[in-house]
Amino acid sequence: MPETVTREAIQARVNEALEEFGAEPSDITPDATFEALDVDSLDLVELGQIVQEEYGVELKGEDMPKLKTVGDAVDLIAERAGV
Amino acid sequence: MRDGCALVTGGSRGIGAATARALSEAGWPVAVGYRSDADAAQAVVDELGQGVAVQGDVSDPEAADAIFKTAEKKLGGPVLVLVNNAGITSDNLAIGLTDEDWDRVVSTNLSGAFRLTRRALRPMLKARFGRIVNVSSIVGLKANPGQANYAAAKAGLVGMTKTIAAEVARRGVTVNAVAPGFIDTELTAGLDQSDGLVDHIPARRTGTPEEVAACVRFLASEDASYVTGTTLTVDGGLSA
């Protein structure tokens, strides 16, 4: 994990991934639900692979149902990354 | 043509070699996976428009990533068609089947196919296109004494095919299986055909690797875009 990882960097990477998955950039806010963004379980698995590669953080299958909003995901990734 | 390639495991002979040729005819650059017979794999590659031979033992958990990286690098694009064809037999009646016979067959024929499929999915999901074809067997659907291990692995492929198909269908990725009956290959060369085996086949003959390859080619095509989770039997009517 790079020393310089910040919560802002994680937020930006998550937003970028969500845009790749087809979410409207203007709709992506911390309170936005994945359901509203039309981000599905398969997208979340892909997000998990991205953060594992970039931050060495593992999102497990059992974490996925708990992640309802963009903020939930950023919080969990930041917590696991020790930010 | 899409910017990617096809990978056929067990591509050095039999159904795999015929499938590599069929996918090449369909326009795909083809990675021909093989475990031990480099010369045979290269001979298949030499017949293709664009191709490469890729060594790897799919029963090795580390193999999937190495095989994909080589194929992607040598053929310059993601694997968008995966044909899990590598398969072995180690026959005996169940009462005499050893743990080793069981594990070897399941780890190559089923676990290997799973790991290659898992590795294939991410690039396919990203491309919003992918075709996975698992080469099962009629033995996965119908009894064949002496092959409990092979039957379990081949039936396992059918179940895996259905579930993964449902997981990824919304991204344009299809997962199907073919279930060949008695096909003229080295794998079936040991079977005694003089004992009336062929009489049980409505077509009254064994099949050719090319007849199976044609079905794989269809399932891998754009035309098969709404076919997923299915198992196409190619058996001359044996299971009808």
Side-chain angles (χ1 to χ4, degrees):
Chain A
M1 187 176 70
E3 290 292 326
T4 52
V5 61
T6 62
R7 195 189 155 80
E8 289 68 34
I10 293 169
Q11 175 81 64
R13 186 65 189 90
V14 169
N15 288 5
E16 187 191 336
L18 296 176
E19 282 179 43
E20 278 175 34
F21 301 153
E24 280 296 320
S26 58
D27 294 341
I28 302 172
T29 64
D31 293 332
T33 64
F34 291 123
E35 196 181 354
L37 294 172
D38 209 14
V39 167
D40 63 23
S41 56
L42 213 48
D43 293 319
L44 289 181
V45 173
E46 278 195 74
L47 178 65
Q49 292 183 334
I50 290 168
V51 302
Q52 174 136 35
E53 275 170 21
E54 299 198 7
Y55 307 117
V57 166
E58 193 179 358
L59 297 185
K60 299 194 180 81
E62 68 221 43
D63 295 326
M64 298 306 178
K66 291 181 261 176
L67 301 179
K68 302 287 185 213
T69 67
V70 176
D72 291 344
V74 174
D75 288 344
L76 184 68
I77 297 160
E79 183 195 315
R80 298 248 167 103
V83 176
Chain B
M1 201 65 206
R2 291 176 187 268
D3 193 12
C5 64
L7 166 63
V8 182
T9 66
S12 64
R13 54 192 166 176
I15 293 169
T19 299
R21 287 190 284 266
L23 293 175
S24 182
E25 280 165 20
W28 292 101
V30 182
V32 175
Y34 71 96
R35 184 184 55 185
S36 52
D37 197 341
D39 292 342
Q42 191 54 49
V44 174
V45 168
D46 290 344
E47 295 176 53
L48 306 178
Q50 193 191 352
V52 64
V54 183
Q55 197 279 331
D57 180 349
V58 299
S59 70
D60 171 4
E62 309 293 321
D65 196 45
I67 291 169
F68 272 74
K69 280 190 172 135
T70 305
E72 288 161 352
K73 193 171 152 217
K74 294 279 172 63
L75 297 176
V79 173
L80 296 180
V81 176
L82 168 64
V83 181
N84 282 309
N85 169 71
I88 58 168
T89 55
S90 194
D91 297 352
N92 204 339
L93 294 177
I95 197 166
L97 207 55
T98 65
D99 284 354
E100 201 210 343
D101 291 329
W102 178 272
D103 292 340
R104 246 164 37 85
V105 167
V106 171
S107 71
T108 294
N109 299 11
L110 180 58
S111 307
F114 166 67
R115 285 189 289 259
L116 266 76
T117 297
R118 182 176 57 189
R119 174 60 177 77
L121 283 174
R122 196 172 167 198
M124 289 179 179
L125 294 172
K126 208 166 175 183
R128 297 293 190 268
F129 176 87
R131 296 281 184 267
I132 298 172
V133 182
N134 294 314
V135 179
S136 178
S137 166
I138 197 68
V139 175
L141 309 171
K142 191 176 187 292
N144 195 31
Q147 292 200 305
N149 49 0
Y150 190 78
K154 293 298 189 180
L157 282 176
V158 170
M160 185 181 90
T161 295
K162 291 180 186 183
T163 285
I164 299 178
E167 289 179 359
V168 299
R170 68 196 109 150
R171 302 293 169 80
V173 178
T174 68
V175 188
N176 291 289
V178 292
F182 288 107
I183 307 299
D184 297 320
T185 67
E186 287 172 44
L187 201 69
T188 56
L191 297 174
D192 184 1
Q193 301 206 1
S194 63
D195 66 352
L197 188 69
V198 168
D199 295 341
H200 296 291
I201 304 170
R204 293 290 186 274
R205 64 175 179 85
T206 53
T208 66
E210 288 71 26
E211 288 174 309
V212 180
C215 297
V216 177
R217 176 178 170 167
F218 166 67
L219 292 171
S221 71
E222 301 272 354
D223 286 343
S225 50
Y226 204 56
V227 181
T228 195
T230 196
T231 298
L232 181 55
T233 52
V234 191
D235 67 354
L238 182 62
S239 61

